[in-house]
Amino acid sequence: SGRKGLQMRVQEGRILPVMWTATGRLLAAYRDSPDIWDLIDAEIAGWNAERPDTPFDRQTAEAIFADIRHKGVSSTFVTANGKRLNMFSPANLRPDVYVLDTVAVPLFDHLGKLRMSLTFFGTDRIALSSKQDRLDELVDLGRSASRKLGYNPA
């Protein structure tokens, strides 16, 4: 709990959405296994049923993952093919909820495999995702942690 009293609770066994969280998108972007698409396809179907005016598809998901791999970061501000997708804006998703701004960076092991993410939480007032210098700092922190795990990007 911070100065403003923002509290979060995580329950063991709870599965958070893949496409609608910075951490979920990051982990999916580096995952080789096809089983992740079962989860993503279900989320896409749910989105399209609720919001037929802003359809979403697998091709868009793959473009999002490519941008994440290229930038080395996943955040509240989602891009595909270098363009911001406003459909992912927290205000569009849940306008009634206090906005969290999240940034997730990958942590690679000595084999170059993604083993976990380092996720940072803030609010829309702290602006983690919209400030490039902050994003660069968090990406550098993830790279430093990966090097400590033995990762050596040749």
Side-chain angles (χ1 to χ4, degrees):
S1 139
R3 284 184 292 175
K4 298 216 178 211
L6 179 65
Q7 296 181 4
M8 296 184 61
R9 180 176 38 180
V10 177
Q11 296 172 318
E12 184 176 343
R14 179 164 172 102
I15 299 174
L16 295 174
V18 175
M19 292 306 302
W20 314 114
T21 63
T23 303
R25 288 187 298 273
L26 180 99
L27 296 174
Y30 289 96
R31 189 162 178 121
D32 293 331
S33 179
D35 65 336
I36 194 73
W37 283 105
D38 291 340
L39 294 171
I40 294 169
D41 287 339
E43 290 180 18
I44 290 171
W47 172 272
N48 289 337
E50 290 179 21
R51 296 173 177 91
D53 54 323
T54 53
F56 181 58
D57 58 24
R58 231 187 220 220
Q59 184 178 357
T60 303
E62 289 170 348
I64 291 168
F65 299 153
D67 278 15
I68 290 169
R69 289 188 299 270
H70 175 74
K71 294 184 297 186
V73 65
S74 176
S75 73
T76 300
F77 297 116
V78 180
T79 62
N81 300 315
K83 296 180 182 177
R84 183 160 177 204
L85 298 178
N86 288 325
M87 64 190 275
F88 282 87
S89 166
N92 290 336
L93 294 174
R94 295 288 306 274
D96 57 325
V97 176
Y98 191 69
V99 176
L100 281 178
D101 186 10
T102 57
V103 173
V105 296
L107 297 182
F108 298 103
D109 68 7
H110 64 288
L111 299 173
K113 298 285 186 185
L114 178 72
R115 292 299 173 202
M116 64 189 92
S117 76
L118 187 56
T119 303
F120 302 89
F121 294 89
T123 68
D124 54 344
R125 291 175 184 88
I126 294 173
L128 294 172
S129 298
S130 62
K131 304 276 187 186
Q132 190 60 49
D133 58 331
R134 288 186 180 160
L135 278 176
D136 292 344
E137 183 179 355
L138 298 175
V139 168
D140 288 344
L141 185 61
R143 288 179 179 154
S144 175
S146 291
R147 283 191 298 275
K148 289 180 182 182
L149 292 172
Y151 180 58
N152 184 10

PDB file of all heavy atoms in Angstrom, residues 63-81:
ATOM      1  N   ALA A  63       1.297  -8.984 -34.013  1.00  0.00           N
ATOM      2  CA  ALA A  63       1.977  -7.698 -34.220  1.00  0.00           C
ATOM      3  C   ALA A  63       2.340  -7.052 -32.882  1.00  0.00           C
ATOM      4  O   ALA A  63       3.417  -6.458 -32.740  1.00  0.00           O
ATOM      5  CB  ALA A  63       1.108  -6.764 -35.056  1.00  0.00           C
ATOM      6  N   ILE A  64       1.452  -7.174 -31.896  1.00  0.00           N
ATOM      7  CA  ILE A  64       1.747  -6.665 -30.548  1.00  0.00           C
ATOM      8  C   ILE A  64       2.972  -7.382 -29.986  1.00  0.00           C
ATOM      9  O   ILE A  64       3.892  -6.751 -29.457  1.00  0.00           O
ATOM     10  CB  ILE A  64       0.526  -6.852 -29.619  1.00  0.00           C
ATOM     11  CG1 ILE A  64      -0.607  -5.915 -30.037  1.00  0.00           C
ATOM     12  CG2 ILE A  64       0.910  -6.638 -28.154  1.00  0.00           C
ATOM     13  CD1 ILE A  64      -1.938  -6.234 -29.382  1.00  0.00           C
ATOM     14  N   PHE A  65       3.002  -8.704 -30.109  1.00  0.00           N
ATOM     15  CA  PHE A  65       4.130  -9.483 -29.583  1.00  0.00           C
ATOM     16  C   PHE A  65       5.432  -9.126 -30.293  1.00  0.00           C
ATOM     17  O   PHE A  65       6.481  -9.047 -29.661  1.00  0.00           O
ATOM     18  CB  PHE A  65       3.848 -10.977 -29.704  1.00  0.00           C
ATOM     19  CG  PHE A  65       2.640 -11.444 -28.933  1.00  0.00           C
ATOM     20  CD1 PHE A  65       1.939 -12.557 -29.341  1.00  0.00           C
ATOM     21  CD2 PHE A  65       2.195 -10.772 -27.811  1.00  0.00           C
ATOM     22  CE1 PHE A  65       0.830 -13.002 -28.636  1.00  0.00           C
ATOM     23  CE2 PHE A  65       1.087 -11.195 -27.098  1.00  0.00           C
ATOM     24  CZ  PHE A  65       0.394 -12.318 -27.513  1.00  0.00           C
ATOM     25  N   ALA A  66       5.369  -8.887 -31.589  1.00  0.00           N
ATOM     26  CA  ALA A  66       6.570  -8.493 -32.341  1.00  0.00           C
ATOM     27  C   ALA A  66       7.095  -7.151 -31.835  1.00  0.00           C
ATOM     28  O   ALA A  66       8.306  -6.977 -31.671  1.00  0.00           O
ATOM     29  CB  ALA A  66       6.267  -8.429 -33.836  1.00  0.00           C
ATOM     30  N   ASP A  67       6.204  -6.205 -31.560  1.00  0.00           N
ATOM     31  CA  ASP A  67       6.628  -4.907 -31.023  1.00  0.00           C
ATOM     32  C   ASP A  67       7.263  -5.067 -29.646  1.00  0.00           C
ATOM     33  O   ASP A  67       8.261  -4.417 -29.334  1.00  0.00           O
ATOM     34  CB  ASP A  67       5.449  -3.943 -30.936  1.00  0.00           C
ATOM     35  CG  ASP A  67       5.136  -3.245 -32.248  1.00  0.00           C
ATOM     36  OD1 ASP A  67       5.636  -3.695 -33.302  1.00  0.00           O
ATOM     37  OD2 ASP A  67       4.383  -2.250 -32.222  1.00  0.00           O
ATOM     38  N   ILE A  68       6.688  -5.931 -28.824  1.00  0.00           N
ATOM     39  CA  ILE A  68       7.249  -6.165 -27.478  1.00  0.00           C
ATOM     40  C   ILE A  68       8.657  -6.727 -27.593  1.00  0.00           C
ATOM     41  O   ILE A  68       9.578  -6.274 -26.911  1.00  0.00           O
ATOM     42  CB  ILE A  68       6.332  -7.102 -26.663  1.00  0.00           C
ATOM     43  CG1 ILE A  68       5.038  -6.373 -26.301  1.00  0.00           C
ATOM     44  CG2 ILE A  68       7.052  -7.619 -25.416  1.00  0.00           C
ATOM     45  CD1 ILE A  68       3.956  -7.272 -25.734  1.00  0.00           C
ATOM     46  N   ARG A  69       8.838  -7.722 -28.453  1.00  0.00           N
ATOM     47  CA  ARG A  69      10.180  -8.300 -28.625  1.00  0.00           C
ATOM     48  C   ARG A  69      11.164  -7.275 -29.170  1.00  0.00           C
ATOM     49  O   ARG A  69      12.315  -7.216 -28.747  1.00  0.00           O
ATOM     50  CB  ARG A  69      10.116  -9.532 -29.528  1.00  0.00           C
ATOM     51  CG  ARG A  69       9.447 -10.735 -28.867  1.00  0.00           C
ATOM     52  CD  ARG A  69       9.565 -11.991 -29.709  1.00  0.00           C
ATOM     53  NE  ARG A  69       8.930 -11.854 -31.010  1.00  0.00           N
ATOM     54  CZ  ARG A  69       7.662 -12.159 -31.272  1.00  0.00           C
ATOM     55  NH1 ARG A  69       6.880 -12.638 -30.319  1.00  0.00           N
ATOM     56  NH2 ARG A  69       7.173 -12.012 -32.497  1.00  0.00           N
ATOM     57  N   HIS A  70      10.698  -6.418 -30.069  1.00  0.00           N
ATOM     58  CA  HIS A  70      11.568  -5.395 -30.654  1.00  0.00           C
ATOM     59  C   HIS A  70      11.988  -4.361 -29.611  1.00  0.00           C
ATOM     60  O   HIS A  70      13.158  -3.975 -29.540  1.00  0.00           O
ATOM     61  CB  HIS A  70      10.852  -4.710 -31.822  1.00  0.00           C
ATOM     62  CG  HIS A  70      11.606  -3.568 -32.402  1.00  0.00           C
ATOM     63  ND1 HIS A  70      12.724  -3.738 -33.187  1.00  0.00           N
ATOM     64  CD2 HIS A  70      11.411  -2.228 -32.292  1.00  0.00           C
ATOM     65  CE1 HIS A  70      13.190  -2.548 -33.540  1.00  0.00           C
ATOM     66  NE2 HIS A  70      12.408  -1.623 -33.008  1.00  0.00           N
ATOM     67  N   LYS A  71      11.029  -3.905 -28.789  1.00  0.00           N
ATOM     68  CA  LYS A  71      11.297  -2.857 -27.792  1.00  0.00           C
ATOM     69  C   LYS A  71      11.889  -3.412 -26.506  1.00  0.00           C
ATOM     70  O   LYS A  71      12.508  -2.671 -25.739  1.00  0.00           O
ATOM     71  CB  LYS A  71      10.012  -2.102 -27.461  1.00  0.00           C
ATOM     72  CG  LYS A  71       9.447  -1.311 -28.617  1.00  0.00           C
ATOM     73  CD  LYS A  71       8.226  -0.509 -28.218  1.00  0.00           C
ATOM     74  CE  LYS A  71       7.088  -1.374 -27.771  1.00  0.00           C
ATOM     75  NZ  LYS A  71       5.844  -0.676 -27.497  1.00  0.00           N
ATOM     76  N   GLY A  72      11.644  -4.701 -26.235  1.00  0.00           N
ATOM     77  CA  GLY A  72      12.119  -5.287 -24.981  1.00  0.00           C
ATOM     78  C   GLY A  72      11.300  -4.881 -23.777  1.00  0.00           C
ATOM     79  O   GLY A  72      11.767  -4.964 -22.640  1.00  0.00           O
ATOM     80  N   VAL A  73      10.044  -4.482 -24.009  1.00  0.00           N
ATOM     81  CA  VAL A  73       9.193  -4.031 -22.913  1.00  0.00           C
ATOM     82  C   VAL A  73       7.723  -4.159 -23.322  1.00  0.00           C
ATOM     83  O   VAL A  73       7.379  -4.040 -24.490  1.00  0.00           O
ATOM     84  CB  VAL A  73       9.524  -2.560 -22.523  1.00  0.00           C
ATOM     85  CG1 VAL A  73       9.198  -1.596 -23.654  1.00  0.00           C
ATOM     86  CG2 VAL A  73       8.844  -2.148 -21.242  1.00  0.00           C
ATOM     87  N   SER A  74       6.888  -4.426 -22.333  1.00  0.00           N
ATOM     88  CA  SER A  74       5.441  -4.415 -22.510  1.00  0.00           C
ATOM     89  C   SER A  74       4.887  -3.421 -21.504  1.00  0.00           C
ATOM     90  O   SER A  74       5.338  -3.373 -20.363  1.00  0.00           O
ATOM     91  CB  SER A  74       4.875  -5.814 -22.240  1.00  0.00           C
ATOM     92  OG  SER A  74       3.466  -5.803 -22.309  1.00  0.00           O
ATOM     93  N   SER A  75       3.925  -2.622 -21.930  1.00  0.00           N
ATOM     94  CA  SER A  75       3.405  -1.617 -21.009  1.00  0.00           C
ATOM     95  C   SER A  75       1.911  -1.404 -21.221  1.00  0.00           C
ATOM     96  O   SER A  75       1.291  -2.022 -22.086  1.00  0.00           O
ATOM     97  CB  SER A  75       4.146  -0.288 -21.194  1.00  0.00           C
ATOM     98  OG  SER A  75       3.745   0.346 -22.395  1.00  0.00           O
ATOM     99  N   THR A  76       1.367  -0.500 -20.433  1.00  0.00           N
ATOM    100  CA  THR A  76      -0.036  -0.129 -20.542  1.00  0.00           C
ATOM    101  C   THR A  76      -0.336   0.411 -21.930  1.00  0.00           C
ATOM    102  O   THR A  76      -1.417   0.199 -22.464  1.00  0.00           O
ATOM    103  CB  THR A  76      -0.373   0.930 -19.468  1.00  0.00           C
ATOM    104  OG1 THR A  76      -0.107   0.364 -18.191  1.00  0.00           O
ATOM    105  CG2 THR A  76      -1.823   1.359 -19.537  1.00  0.00           C
ATOM    106  N   PHE A  77       0.632   1.105 -22.526  1.00  0.00           N
ATOM    107  CA  PHE A  77       0.454   1.654 -23.874  1.00  0.00           C
ATOM    108  C   PHE A  77       0.871   0.590 -24.883  1.00  0.00           C
ATOM    109  O   PHE A  77       2.039   0.294 -25.049  1.00  0.00           O
ATOM    110  CB  PHE A  77       1.264   2.935 -24.050  1.00  0.00           C
ATOM    111  CG  PHE A  77       0.811   4.026 -23.124  1.00  0.00           C
ATOM    112  CD1 PHE A  77       1.638   4.517 -22.145  1.00  0.00           C
ATOM    113  CD2 PHE A  77      -0.478   4.549 -23.232  1.00  0.00           C
ATOM    114  CE1 PHE A  77       1.216   5.509 -21.283  1.00  0.00           C
ATOM    115  CE2 PHE A  77      -0.911   5.543 -22.373  1.00  0.00           C
ATOM    116  CZ  PHE A  77      -0.062   6.029 -21.402  1.00  0.00           C
ATOM    117  N   VAL A  78      -0.117   0.008 -25.551  1.00  0.00           N
ATOM    118  CA  VAL A  78       0.088  -1.127 -26.442  1.00  0.00           C
ATOM    119  C   VAL A  78       0.257  -0.637 -27.873  1.00  0.00           C
ATOM    120  O   VAL A  78      -0.503   0.208 -28.341  1.00  0.00           O
ATOM    121  CB  VAL A  78      -1.100  -2.104 -26.352  1.00  0.00           C
ATOM    122  CG1 VAL A  78      -0.919  -3.289 -27.275  1.00  0.00           C
ATOM    123  CG2 VAL A  78      -1.284  -2.569 -24.906  1.00  0.00           C
ATOM    124  N   THR A  79       1.265  -1.206 -28.561  1.00  0.00           N
ATOM    125  CA  THR A  79       1.473  -0.873 -29.970  1.00  0.00           C
ATOM    126  C   THR A  79       1.496  -2.147 -30.802  1.00  0.00           C
ATOM    127  O   THR A  79       1.825  -3.224 -30.313  1.00  0.00           O
ATOM    128  CB  THR A  79       2.801  -0.126 -30.191  1.00  0.00           C
ATOM    129  OG1 THR A  79       3.889  -0.964 -29.807  1.00  0.00           O
ATOM    130  CG2 THR A  79       2.849   1.182 -29.406  1.00  0.00           C
ATOM    131  N   ALA A  80       1.143  -1.988 -32.062  1.00  0.00           N
ATOM    132  CA  ALA A  80       1.246  -3.050 -33.059  1.00  0.00           C
ATOM    133  C   ALA A  80       1.743  -2.393 -34.332  1.00  0.00           C
ATOM    134  O   ALA A  80       1.209  -1.361 -34.747  1.00  0.00           O
ATOM    135  CB  ALA A  80      -0.098  -3.729 -33.295  1.00  0.00           C
ATOM    136  N   ASN A  81       2.788  -2.955 -34.906  1.00  0.00           N
ATOM    137  CA  ASN A  81       3.414  -2.353 -36.090  1.00  0.00           C
ATOM    138  C   ASN A  81       3.817  -0.906 -35.830  1.00  0.00           C
ATOM    139  O   ASN A  81       3.729  -0.051 -36.700  1.00  0.00           O
ATOM    140  CB  ASN A  81       2.494  -2.450 -37.305  1.00  0.00           C
ATOM    141  CG  ASN A  81       2.157  -3.878 -37.648  1.00  0.00           C
ATOM    142  OD1 ASN A  81       3.034  -4.741 -37.672  1.00  0.00           O
ATOM    143  ND2 ASN A  81       0.888  -4.154 -37.889  1.00  0.00           N
TER     144      ASN A  81
END
